[in-house]
Amino acid sequence: MVRQSVLFIIGLLVTINRFTQAKVVADLAVLDQGEIKPIEPRTDAPLPADRYLTCSYVGDPHLLPFSQPYSQYWCKNEGWELLLSNQYVSLYVLVHSSSTYQIHDYMLIFPEPTACTTGSSSNPLPCQGSGSPITSLQNGNSYTHFHRTQDLIIKIDPSGSYYNIYIWQSPKLVAESCGVCIKWNCEREGLWMTPNPVVPKLCDLYINAARERAAAAVDKRVIDVARTQCINDMQSTFDVHQAVQPAIALVLQDGIKELINGGKDQQSAFEKIESVKEEVFKAAEATSNELLANSGSICNDSKKCLVAFNSDATAKLAVKKK
């Protein structure tokens, strides 16, 4: 038995040396369906009585786990990590760090009934045809995948060369799942540095524009975590668009929570979010650009400066990438 274990470990190391990280992750994803045991949700926070629970992994990256949807954690785990896995899906993400941590790649695997895989380095539309377990909705560069038989929705939302990930699952699936969305080793997040005074003002402009255009009232706790995430990301990157995009998404998605839980017109609700998102950018753009113009040059230690944001130019770039 010991000799077999040693040979297995040697073989695994050889495999790691021969194949890329993405291939190793794909191999692990096949194994984990039979070998990874579900991890029970944390018992210190009762699960809400909604049809869907949510987990978000966005920005730098910030984790809002299933069991604590209004508590935000800052994760600084570099390399490939398992975000979510259960009988119906496995989702891996690759986090790189330079001056900040960001999700640079992902691998999304649906094992049944016909295994299909997608990732940022491959076709983002994973499964098609009548036998597919997934219905996929594309809006610009964003993809939302709906499972046909389970209460399971996964949204992959690119932001420049990075990715923001949002997951909706039933409490039953959450109890049968493992990964960072279930159990994490990340520090609780607050405002971790004193921001430039203009940064919170910029975040508030975009977040308030999103709140005013949301389909329904937005929970104040969502506003709070969106604001914290936006301020921290903008102060660390000095990139207005990348900082406000996940914050806007969190606010608008909370506005369609009842529609998602109702199970009707879910795709229409997500389509509406994408069109409203453009309205939010345009509504806040003039005021934010005026604020920046009146504030003079605002740059960080790396000599990167806050610059005016052009939503029309960003939309054209997204279409070009598509």
Side-chain angles (χ1 to χ4, degrees), residues 72-256:
Q72 193 159 247
Y73 294 84
W74 186 26
C75 298
K76 295 173 281 187
N77 305 316
E78 191 170 9
W80 284 101
E81 58 184 348
L82 178 63
L83 186 59
L84 176 71
S85 185
N86 55 50
Q87 180 181 347
Y88 303 98
V89 67
S90 290
L91 175 56
Y92 295 85
V93 295
L94 176 62
V95 176
H96 283 168
S97 69
S98 48
S99 58
T100 61
Y101 294 80
Q102 301 280 3
I103 301 172
H104 284 250
D105 200 354
Y106 70 93
M107 184 164 288
L108 179 58
I109 301 137
F110 299 100
E112 296 178 351
T114 301
C116 50
T117 301
T118 184
S120 63
S121 57
S122 61
N123 179 14
L125 193 61
C127 310
Q128 300 184 65
S130 58
S132 169
I134 299 298
T135 299
S136 296
L137 173 68
Q138 180 181 5
N139 292 105
N141 292 327
S142 174
Y143 283 86
T144 307
H145 307 293
F146 303 83
H147 201 282
R148 293 180 187 270
T149 64
Q150 302 297 317
D151 288 335
L152 169 61
I153 304 170
I154 296 179
K155 182 178 180 180
I156 307 293
D157 196 9
S159 178
S161 58
Y162 310 118
Y163 295 88
N164 299 311
I165 297 175
Y166 309 91
I167 305 169
W168 292 261
Q169 276 198 149
S170 66
K172 178 178 182 296
L173 277 184
V174 170
E176 298 170 356
S177 299
C178 60
V180 174
C181 278
I182 308 297
K183 188 174 183 180
W184 57 94
N185 182 24
C186 310
E187 63 183 85
R188 185 71 174 264
E189 185 174 8
L191 291 178
W192 50 267
M193 67 170 65
T194 302
N196 183 287
V198 173
V199 168
K201 294 178 181 178
L202 286 170
C203 288
D204 288 343
L205 284 172
Y206 286 94
I207 290 172
N208 289 336
R211 178 181 54 80
E212 292 167 0
R213 290 162 177 78
V218 177
D219 194 305
K220 182 182 181 301
R221 294 169 293 181
V222 172
I223 300 295
D224 291 341
V225 296
R227 189 173 190 271
T228 299
Q229 168 264 306
C230 180
I231 292 173
N232 285 343
D233 279 2
M234 194 179 299
Q235 183 64 36
S236 62
T237 66
F238 267 49
D239 189 317
V240 176
H241 181 258
Q242 288 194 7
V244 302
Q245 182 169 323
I248 290 171
L250 287 173
V251 172
L252 293 180
Q253 286 164 185
D254 190 70
I256 63 168

Side-chain angles (χ1 to χ4, degrees), residues 294-312:
N294 293 334
S295 301
S297 180
I298 303 173
C299 306
N300 60 14
D301 293 338
S302 301
K303 297 183 179 180
K304 184 170 183 179
C305 303
L306 290 173
V307 296
F309 173 65
N310 187 329
S311 59
D312 290 332

Side-chain angles (χ1 to χ4, degrees), residues 12-32:
L12 182 59
L13 291 173
V14 170
T15 302
I16 292 175
N17 287 331
R18 289 180 58 190
F19 295 96
T20 64
Q21 274 187 306
K23 179 64 169 67
V24 172
V25 172
D27 291 340
L28 288 174
V30 174
L31 292 174
D32 71 12

